[in-house]
Amino acid sequence: MPHTPLKPFIKHSKCLFLFLLSTTFALTLFAFQPTGYIDYPSVSEQLVETVQHSQRHAFDSLLKIVADAKFEVLKNQLYSDTRKKTFWLNVHNAYALYLLKKEPSILKNHNHFLSTKQITIAGMHFSLNEIEHGILRRSSYRITETVVIKQLRVLELDYRVHFGINFGAKDCPSLVPFREHKLNDQLKSLEKAYILSHTAIDSAKKEIKTSELFEWYETDFGGENGVRNLFEKNGLVQAKDWKISYEA
């Protein structure tokens, strides 16, 4: 009676053992995960990624997740300014890009585009202005402050959000998915890139020409001296003494 070769049997047994071991380990890990837990800052990253790659079905599914979120759950998850900035920058930018892809001409009516409450988060409707000014800037500029906005907004203004907000205009910073653990480095990088790409040096006039952004939100940057210090920090040593002019 022919007998079964031992080598293939041993090989098959090893594969089966490794499969069972990995499956057991995965099930063990799963057992320690909260049932039905959704990390909303992580979902917000995926919103940006899916809209960038025009993955409409996936994007719509993610929209439903944030729209159906329980307010108290969302608020509790956004327990730090880092998590708040990550979530709201991504939500703002993803929705802005989504709306522009859906209707490119919408940017022509700029004020309507920014002020219309067309973003659904946790069952409530927000405008791009409310997210930018009310939540990310802690400001009442162009919005009516509500109890909800006061509960969701950052505790301290970080001027660098200006280098992360994107609503489709040509002067806006680069669009990237913000990640909680990389947020500081991402904003630092975008700050430098924006300043260097939107600033010109006129040596003959001893003048620095830069974006109107720094004039519009001068108080966010710490006044004129704050703007000068910011430019110096990013390599424009002329900012200490030279005239600074702002242009569109």
Side-chain angles (χ1 to χ4, degrees):
M1 178 178 180
H3 47 229
T4 306
L6 189 59
K7 195 171 182 180
F9 175 76
I10 294 173
K11 183 178 180 181
H12 176 73
S13 298
K14 284 183 177 178
C15 291
L16 181 61
F17 173 74
L18 290 173
F19 170 76
L20 291 172
L21 182 64
S22 62
T23 304
T24 303
F25 181 67
L27 289 172
T28 303
L29 286 178
F30 180 77
F32 286 98
Q33 297 300 315
T35 303
Y37 180 79
I38 298 172
D39 184 69
Y40 292 107
S42 297
V43 171
S44 75
E45 295 173 26
Q46 297 170 51
L47 274 172
V48 177
E49 291 170 345
T50 53
V51 75
Q52 280 181 314
H53 296 97
S54 299
Q55 298 170 338
R56 180 61 186 272
H57 181 71
F59 182 74
D60 287 345
S61 297
L62 294 167
L63 288 185
K64 181 168 173 49
I65 289 173
V66 295
D68 293 346
K70 301 296 184 184
F71 177 76
E72 288 300 321
V73 173
L74 177 65
K75 187 178 74 169
N76 290 338
Q77 280 199 21
L78 304 182
Y79 53 79
S80 69
D81 274 6
T82 296
R83 286 177 71 81
K84 288 176 183 177
K85 286 181 285 188
T86 300
F87 179 79
W88 290 109
L89 281 169
N90 284 333
V91 166
H92 176 286
N93 295 347
Y95 266 94
L97 182 57
Y98 163 71
L99 294 168
L100 286 168
K101 282 190 172 186
K102 186 177 178 182
E103 188 182 342
S105 63
I106 197 172
L107 197 57
K108 292 180 180 179
N109 192 342
H110 191 255
N111 289 333
H112 182 265
F113 172 54
L114 296 178
S115 62
T116 302
K117 292 176 181 264
Q118 52 196 327
I119 302 169
T120 307
I121 305 290
M124 292 167 288
H125 303 297
F126 297 87
S127 68
L128 291 169
N129 273 342
E130 285 177 320
I131 293 175
E132 176 182 359
H133 303 298
I135 295 175
L136 289 168
R137 293 187 57 239
R138 282 186 61 87
S139 171
S140 58
Y141 179 61
R142 292 188 177 180
I143 69 158
T144 299
E145 286 185 305
T146 64
V147 173
V148 168
I149 287 175
K150 288 179 180 179
Q151 290 183 71
L152 295 173
R153 66 188 180 186
V154 294
L155 298 177
E156 293 184 13
L157 169 66
D158 180 349
Y159 69 82
R160 298 177 304 173
V161 298
H162 289 294
F163 308 121
I165 291 170
N166 189 302
F167 52 84
K170 66 177 183 178
D171 198 43
C172 285
S174 302
L175 179 64
V176 299
F178 290 102
R179 310 189 190 284
E180 178 186 355
H181 301 297
K182 296 182 178 179
L183 182 66
N184 188 59
D185 290 337
Q186 286 179 302
L187 290 177
K188 184 178 179 181
S189 177
L190 286 170
E191 172 187 312
K192 189 175 187 69
Y194 188 89
I195 289 173
L196 295 181
S197 63
H198 289 78
T199 305
I201 302 293
D202 188 332
S203 299
K205 294 182 179 180
K206 292 189 174 182
E207 182 178 2
I208 296 173
K209 297 179 180 179
T210 192
S211 169
E212 285 181 315
L213 173 78
F214 297 102
E215 183 177 35
W216 294 337
Y217 302 111
E218 190 179 74
T219 55
D220 289 5
F221 296 107
E224 183 181 335
N225 287 336
V227 173
R228 290 184 182 277
N229 291 335
L230 182 61
F231 284 7
E232 277 194 82
K233 185 181 77 172
N234 285 280
L236 301 176
V237 294
Q238 301 93 332
K240 184 175 182 179
D241 304 305
W242 288 13
K243 176 185 176 182
I244 295 179
S245 61
Y246 307 96
E247 51 190 24

